[in-house]
Amino acid sequence: MLAVTKSSVSIAIDEAIGTDLIRAIGSAQGIGRHRWDALAKAIHGPLVYLSFVMMA
């Protein structure tokens, strides 16, 4: 079974999107983890993003 924690997804999103872009966007309060996840997938594609999650 694959265990993916919220913190590993957060790390993967940070690595996929990049700290510079995250800082440029700002805190984005209320945007939710799912929308950050969608942005990461849009940038890299779902399979590449999955590799970020697996490495986190």
Side-chain angles (χ1 to χ4, degrees):
M1 179 190 299
L2 175 65
V4 179
T5 64
K6 286 184 180 181
S7 63
S8 66
V9 172
S10 295
I11 291 168
I13 289 171
D14 181 58
E15 291 175 356
I17 296 174
T19 305
D20 292 337
L21 182 55
I22 291 172
R23 286 187 180 144
I25 292 170
S27 65
Q29 293 180 343
I31 197 72
R33 185 181 316 271
H34 296 291
R35 290 191 180 140
W36 283 107
D37 183 54
L39 177 60
K41 287 177 183 174
I43 291 171
H44 294 287
L47 293 179
V48 173
Y49 175 69
L50 181 60
S51 70
F52 282 110
V53 172
M54 297 299 293
M55 293 186 310

